[in-house]
Amino acid sequence: MDMEEKPKYGQPKEFDPDFKGPIQNRGCTDIICCIFFIVAIVGYVAVGILAWTHGDPRKVIYPTDSLGQYCGQGKLEKQPLLFYFNMMKCASPMVLLEFQCPTPQVCVEKCPDRTLTLVTAIGNTQDWEYYKSYCRADPGTKPVVDILQKKLCPAYLISSKPFLQRCFPSLGKKGDVITVGDQETFNDGDKMRDAKDLVAGMKNATIVMEGRQVAMKIFEDYTKSWYWILICLLVAVVLSLIFIVLLRYLAGIMVWVMIFMVIAVVACGIAHCSIKYVNLKDTPGSNITLQQLGFQPDFSLYLHIRQSWLAFIIILAILEVIIIILLIFLRKRIRIAVQLMKEASRAVGYVMSSLFYPIFTFLLLTIVIVYWGVTAVFLSTSSEPVYKVFNETDCPHARQTCDPENFTLSTMKRDCPRSECLFAFYGGETPYHKYLIILQFYNIFLFFWCANFVTALGQMTLAGAFASYYWAPNKPSDMPAYPLCASLGRSLRYHTGSLAFGSLILAIVQIIRVLLEYIDHKLKGAENKFAKFLLCCLKCCFWCLEKFIKFMNRNAYIMVAIYGKNFCRSARDAFFLLMRNVIRVVVLDKVTDFILFLGKLLIVGLVGIFAFFFFSGHTDAFKGATPSLHYYWVPILTVLVGSYLIAHGFFSVYAMCVDTLFLCFFFTLLNITNTTQR
């Protein structure tokens, strides 16, 4: 008896001559995962409420005095600056470990503008009244010895200037000699010291705040340029809409116009960089290397050396060559892809509301990102102030925690009379504080899950709408009145579980990649080459796995939108259907993606060129309107990233339409083949 040959890629679906698109009579899929997702969301909300209850972002915004009070807030509203009693104590290596100088600190209204010692000030009524404004408490008529022993007032004041809401000595230079307040020495209340002794303490205190300094400048740049950034992003929206509309009516012409315009824009970039490279030839200091310059937060410095422009030329030239080579080898496939774009344009024309669906997806993603960011900030600031014993390195209680309210009468103070209980950092020993890292991990994981869910919802919604177009015999009479709304309703009502299932798989892979990056960061100084090699292989494998899962999820959502089956069955059907047409899928799908990528590149290039000439001030026409910025690359990078996301959102509609039409066409082709064989 002859055995019937088993199909290589699964059993194909039976041909249904009456099939007219996404089935209406369907049931809920992957209910268990839907329940898990809802429970996870409820837990996510609970974590957010817990973080908002305990967190206080002021801990990372305002400086904190020795009692853990915020300068410039509450009863200290008129005292926004932090003053250090003894800046030289900040030279201790413990500063970099505990992020706190082991010296009393008070909030003051303004930094001292003169240099005084306690001994000289207490003998002059006017100077003493001024000096007392920098004391922790009113010393009254106590003698100098008691004031210093109880650390009620600093031993000396130095002329200072505010920097990042802190008072730092006003250091200067006379030739090669460092000065403070125009003097080479100062009196610390005990003896004369050189001004250079302050440098180490200032350096340590500055290192702790360098990141914040850059962040504050970037924030200030955003406050000055946000409306211009929005205008540039609006230009990106208008350009994207123009390209989409032109693709609707002139798909063939627009594809080739996009291709040649990208080549022209890159060529213009090469020409501009070459001119800059030549013009800097005789400029002093332009021949230093990038390695010699090192990292500089002010990116404009890189534009004054020739090697930067040479790097730009090489990068753009390589990109230009790659694009031209691909066009030469893919010219025949591009013609076929153009036909697909024409069909996709007709589908988009019948479902015009799909062009605006990315805005809905963008709003949902914005909510997810904002919720994650706010929760992360509140979680990271939900610790309590921790106080430690400072100033007595030979004391057995040094670095131990203490209670500032009862420290004066404690055994620690009795054993070490000159010790101080000062605010050290934010932490905590309660169960809540011990599990903060787990809550942060949960916050990141739910962020990935929710973000992937929103993206999946958009893919399934668009797939259902375009499938309605493909299977309608008479367009548009056989299509639903509102295909996009109908598809969105079906996706949420019946397939929330399937969306959550696919998103969960992707989120697990993404969180593993985050953990691998964290481990890689921790092992950067390690000498174990095998461990580095293994970690590199794991990162590469999980990157490939993430790309594959995204590809399979996308096609699985299309099958779910059409046939209403669960996620696993839909993924299996999509996989077998694609494997039967693997050559067509790999070639045509990727050629189409390449064309759409060129469209995104063109929009980003046009908006980016405008943003560069506007914010950099290199063009006389914009000099009057250009805002004064610390780092003009901040708005430029923001515009580039935002423009790409906007263009990606609009062109993703076309990409989803092409993928949906692909699967529908392959299914039709398979049914025709099976019917012919019978």
Side-chain angles (χ1 to χ4, degrees), residues 65-68 103-104 136 151 386-391 400-408 410 412-413 416 418-424:
D65 67 7
S66 297
L67 298 178
T103 182
R136 299 169 65 181
K151 293 184 174 61
V386 175
Y387 302 87
K388 287 192 175 185
V389 178
F390 283 103
N391 289 352
Q400 292 185 20
T401 56
C402 55
D403 182 359
E405 296 182 359
N406 304 317
F407 183 72
T408 306
S410 67
M412 293 183 183
K413 184 68 173 177
C416 308
R418 298 186 64 185
S419 62
E420 279 291 313
C421 182
L422 304 178
F423 167 79

Side-chain angles (χ1 to χ4, degrees), residues 502-536:
S503 305
L504 175 62
I505 297 172
L506 186 55
I508 292 173
V509 174
Q510 289 172 335
I511 203 70
I512 292 174
R513 288 193 63 201
V514 170
L515 292 175
L516 290 175
E517 291 292 342
Y518 176 77
I519 295 172
D520 184 39
H521 176 73
K522 289 295 183 182
L523 294 178
K524 273 188 175 179
E527 299 297 332
N528 192 331
K529 293 184 178 180
F530 176 75
K532 290 183 178 180
F533 172 76
L534 182 62
L535 191 61
C536 184

Side-chain angles (χ1 to χ4, degrees), residues 73-90:
Q73 294 293 299
K75 63 180 182 180
L76 301 177
E77 183 180 1
K78 295 182 179 180
Q79 297 162 290
L81 303 173
L82 187 69
F83 172 74
Y84 298 92
F85 270 29
N86 188 352
M87 178 58 67
M88 288 184 292
K89 290 285 186 179
C90 297

